[in-house]
């Protein structure tokens, strides 16, 4: 997510929503026909408004069918054959030091935030701490970061369900009883409102 650093009405705000295992046709703005026919369909007024007032990319295809490689290619602009986030069946390898979508947006004068699952920052590298992880989001072009650094922890709805010992910091920040969705939403709202 990026917003102009100064009050600049010429440049748009950019909100990029990346969801694992979701196709563009799953979004509410493309579910009208299903709803008219009485089939189950997801509806979300907020997402519907974003699609109506913004831009939708219906021909933006993922570079990989897996979360970390897809995320790595999107943020680095590097073809899958050259992204080294998954090797020898190991997840959570850090992306290499190189320009990212975040650094490009910062160079264009935007303030950047990444809120949610990163999964390409070397989550298992140094217990996911910003001081020790070589690919922590704030070291890769994001002014603000809140979420799960590692792959596994992003799969649990409540932090207390996360058996991963490498994410105690995130568990404390989220609050053990708070759902991950609520924790993310409370940090996201100031960036988009």
């Amino acid at each position: 997510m990026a917003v102009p650093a100064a009050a600049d009405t010429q440049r748009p705000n950019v909100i990029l929503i990346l969801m694992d295992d979701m196709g563009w046709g799953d979004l509410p703005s493309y579910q009208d026909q299903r709803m008219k026919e009485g089939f189950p369909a997801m509806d979300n007024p907020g997402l519907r408004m974003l699609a109506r007032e913004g831009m939708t990319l219906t021909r933006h295809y993922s570079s990989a069918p897996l979360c970390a490689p897809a995320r790595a290619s999107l943020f680095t602009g590097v073809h899958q054959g050259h992204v080294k986030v998954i090797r020898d069946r190991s997840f959570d390898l850090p992306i290499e030091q190189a320009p990212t979508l975040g650094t490009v947006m910062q160079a264009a004068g935007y303030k950047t935030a990444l809120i949610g699952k990163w999964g390409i920052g070397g989550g298992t590298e140094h217990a996911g701490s910003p001081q020790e992880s070589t690919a922590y989001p704030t070291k890769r072009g994001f002014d603000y970061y809140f979420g799960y650094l590692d792959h596994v922890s992003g799969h649990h709805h409540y932090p207390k369900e996360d058996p991963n010992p490498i994410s105690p910091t995130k568990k404390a920040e989220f609050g053990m009883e708070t759902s991950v969705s609520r924790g993310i939403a409370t940090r996201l709202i100031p960036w988009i409102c």
Side-chain angles (χ1 to χ4, degrees):
M1 165 176 344
V3 294
D8 185 349
T9 58
Q10 301 303 311
R11 291 188 301 171
N13 288 340
V14 178
I15 299 173
L16 174 65
I17 301 172
L18 175 64
M19 294 185 194
D20 291 344
D21 308 320
M22 183 176 184
W24 65 266
D26 295 331
L27 291 169
S29 46
Y30 304 104
Q31 295 287 315
D32 291 338
Q33 188 61 38
R34 288 184 61 78
M35 287 189 270
K36 285 179 189 173
E37 295 173 4
F39 291 109
M42 177 185 80
D43 195 15
N44 181 303
L47 289 178
R48 192 177 280 276
M49 182 191 72
L50 283 172
R52 185 177 55 250
E53 296 178 9
M55 178 187 299
T56 57
L57 306 174
T58 58
R59 293 184 183 201
H60 178 184
Y61 296 99
S62 178
S63 63
L66 221 49
C67 56
R71 213 175 263 108
S73 284
L74 175 70
F75 286 114
T76 63
V78 176
H79 181 274
Q80 267 307 292
H82 300 287
V83 175
K84 298 176 181 165
V85 294
I86 298 180
R87 290 291 183 260
D88 301 322
R89 292 179 278 173
S90 294
F91 271 81
D92 292 327
L93 297 176
I95 57 173
E96 295 175 1
Q97 179 66 42
T100 66
L101 183 59
T103 60
V104 169
M105 296 300 283
Q106 284 178 331
Y110 283 87
K111 293 283 185 190
T112 57
L114 188 132
I115 300 170
K117 180 179 155 189
W118 179 234
I120 54 175
T124 58
E125 186 179 65
H126 292 291
S129 75
Q131 296 78 21
E132 298 172 334
S133 176
T134 60
Y136 201 80
T138 56
K139 294 179 180 178
R140 292 295 193 266
F142 294 96
D143 298 306
Y144 176 79
Y145 169 69
F146 180 81
Y148 282 116
L149 186 67
D150 60 289
H151 171 77
V152 175
S153 294
H155 293 191
H156 300 280
H157 189 66
Y158 290 94
K160 67 181 179 180
E161 297 169 352
D162 183 5
N164 195 342
I166 68 168
S167 55
T169 306
K170 289 300 165 210
K171 288 181 181 182
E173 288 178 19
F174 274 116
M176 294 300 280
E177 301 299 324
T178 303
S179 73
V180 171
S181 301
R182 185 172 305 267
I184 287 173
T186 58
R187 274 118 180 135
L188 180 64
I189 289 170
W191 282 86
I192 62 174
C193 294

